[in-house]
Amino acid sequence: MHGGGRLAKSSRLSGIQSDLKAVAVAAVALLRHRMARRNRPQPQPRPTRRLARPEPQRGIIALLEKYTPRRIGVVATMLILLGSAGLGIVKGGHVDEFVQGVDDARNAVANIAGFRIEQVAISGRKQLTQDEILAIGGVTGRSSLLFLDAAAVRDKLKANPWIADATVLKFYPSELQIDIVERTAFARWQLDGRTSVIAEDGAVLEPYVARRFLSLPLVVGKGAGERAKDFLALLARYPQVQSQTRAVALVGERRWNVWLSSGLVIRLPEHEVGNSLAMLSKLDQDDKLFSRDITAIDMRLPDRLTVRLSDNAAKAREEQFSKDKKSKKKAGDA
């Protein structure tokens, strides 16, 4: 595209041109030879003795000579040359190039006739650029509005993961309008060490994470992409937990772990997850649970909550326990 929507012209050499050129040269040479023979002056016959007239041929050859139209040999030769070129196209793997060449030829004629795409109006795009949308739809500088298949362009656009829906309209003689509905980037999904950008339904929008997507929530694990929408919506109801969440991980495609920014991991149960999140919110609000020197909170069992202390906290607790035990022993001896 040039600025105001003009498509840039481009040209591509096709491997099939040599085959078609050879056929054309051979046909022209054959016609010239026939015309030269026809216009060549006839030499004066020399006096010779008269030979005996050959007997007329009979059978199939005589029938062919009598009923076969004149110049059938030229036609047969042309057919043989065209057939050879076609065979070369197929065996050489140039079918696609041949079809593209024919398509370019008819588009060129239509463009000369006044059906060149001069203006392209695209609405609804946010993440994709105008050039990317045209490339996805297969609209090039050689395309003409007359032979552009709007339905095919729409199908190509909808096959792109970023585009949820598309409408393609042609306004003769030279204007094309494309309206698209883009999917929204929802989260970053990490699986087997690779992180991609996904939509709400789990569809992968980008196989990598650009800088503009680093603020999206991070979900980890097999199946997490498809189930993240519901869990993150539930987590949003408990801002005491959500505000400190760094990532969520689906374990065994059954239950979730929540990783906080402090490094604390919360192992949630498979069922009644909302009740567990409500309990965590209350404990943190009342007792500053998330600020304590702990590394894990296990809520998988329905009747208990288990915490794991950090190494320093565990060592300090053990030392304190030993001191208390010695103090009790001394008091007993006394």
Side-chain angles (χ1 to χ4, degrees):
M1 293 295 298
H2 286 301
R6 295 182 177 273
L7 294 172
K9 296 182 179 179
S10 61
S11 61
R12 184 179 62 183
L13 295 177
S14 175
I16 200 61
Q17 291 178 351
S18 59
D19 295 332
L20 296 179
K21 184 177 180 181
V23 172
V25 170
V28 171
L30 183 61
L31 290 175
R32 285 182 177 177
H33 177 68
R34 299 288 297 185
M35 294 297 294
R37 289 184 56 185
R38 185 175 181 179
N39 298 328
R40 185 182 303 169
Q42 298 293 333
Q44 295 294 328
R46 296 180 180 180
T48 57
R49 62 178 183 177
R50 182 173 297 178
L51 298 177
R53 181 176 297 178
E55 296 182 359
Q57 296 183 359
R58 299 177 180 178
I60 298 177
I61 297 178
L63 292 175
L64 291 176
E65 291 181 349
K66 183 176 180 180
Y67 295 104
T68 300
R70 297 183 64 185
R71 297 185 180 84
I72 190 66
V74 177
V75 177
T77 303
M78 294 287 291
L79 292 176
I80 291 173
L81 290 173
L82 290 174
S84 299
L87 181 62
I89 291 171
V90 175
K91 294 187 68 175
H94 302 301
V95 176
D96 293 339
E97 296 181 10
F98 177 76
V99 173
Q100 183 63 50
V102 173
D103 187 65
D104 289 345
R106 69 173 185 171
N107 279 323
V109 174
N111 288 336
I112 293 174
F115 294 99
R116 181 182 301 278
I117 300 176
E118 298 288 350
Q119 297 292 331
V120 178
I122 300 178
S123 64
R125 66 177 185 87
K126 296 178 181 177
Q127 300 295 337
L128 298 174
T129 65
Q130 180 168 296
D131 290 339
E132 287 174 336
I133 292 173
L134 292 175
I136 293 169
V139 181
T140 67
R142 298 182 300 273
S143 301
S144 68
L145 197 68
L146 182 62
F147 293 113
L148 185 70
D149 189 341
V153 174
R154 179 176 182 270
D155 292 340
K156 291 178 181 178
L157 290 172
K158 291 186 65 176
N160 185 275
W162 273 108
I163 301 176
D165 197 7
T167 302
V168 181
L169 299 175
K170 301 195 298 183
F171 297 98
Y172 290 101
S174 60
E175 185 176 349
L176 179 66
Q177 180 175 327
I178 301 176
D179 301 323
I180 65 172
V181 178
E182 282 192 358
R183 287 189 173 93
T184 302
F186 175 69
R188 295 172 293 152
W189 176 40
Q190 181 177 314
L191 180 65
D192 297 332
R194 297 182 179 180
T195 306
S196 55
V197 179
I198 61 173
E200 288 185 345
D201 58 357
V204 176
L205 302 178
E206 295 283 354
Y208 57 90
V209 179
R211 184 179 298 275
R212 66 183 185 275
F213 298 127
L214 291 177
S215 61
L216 295 175
L218 177 63
V219 297
V220 182
K222 182 179 180 181
E226 293 80 1
R227 298 177 57 180
K229 178 182 177 181
D230 293 336
F231 180 74
L232 291 178
L234 177 63
L235 187 62
R237 295 167 55 184
Y238 304 95
Q240 193 77 18
V241 182
Q242 184 198 38
S243 61
Q244 303 185 58
T245 298
R246 184 182 66 183
V248 296
L250 186 62
V251 181
E253 299 186 63
R254 296 184 300 105
R255 62 171 196 83
W256 292 91
N257 284 349
V258 177
W259 294 81
L260 303 187
S261 301
S262 62
L264 173 64
V265 57
I266 303 171
R267 297 182 175 91
L268 295 171
E270 184 175 354
H271 305 290
E272 298 184 0
V273 180
N275 294 338
S276 298
L277 292 173
M279 181 186 299
L280 287 171
S281 298
K282 183 172 177 55
L283 289 173
D284 185 60
Q285 187 173 2
D286 295 343
D287 302 324
K288 306 298 181 183
L289 178 64
F290 299 156
S291 302
R292 296 190 178 186
D293 200 0
I294 57 178
T295 60
I297 301 174
D298 194 340
M299 307 183 72
R300 289 176 292 178
L301 298 177
D303 58 344
R304 69 189 67 180
L305 181 148
T306 306
V307 298
R308 177 183 296 175
L309 300 175
S310 66
D311 293 340
N312 293 333
K315 185 177 180 180
R317 177 170 178 154
E318 185 176 352
E319 292 176 352
Q320 184 63 40
F321 180 77
S322 299
K323 291 180 180 179
D324 293 342
K325 188 176 180 180
K326 290 180 180 179
S327 298
K328 291 181 180 179
K329 186 176 181 180
K330 290 181 179 179
D333 293 341

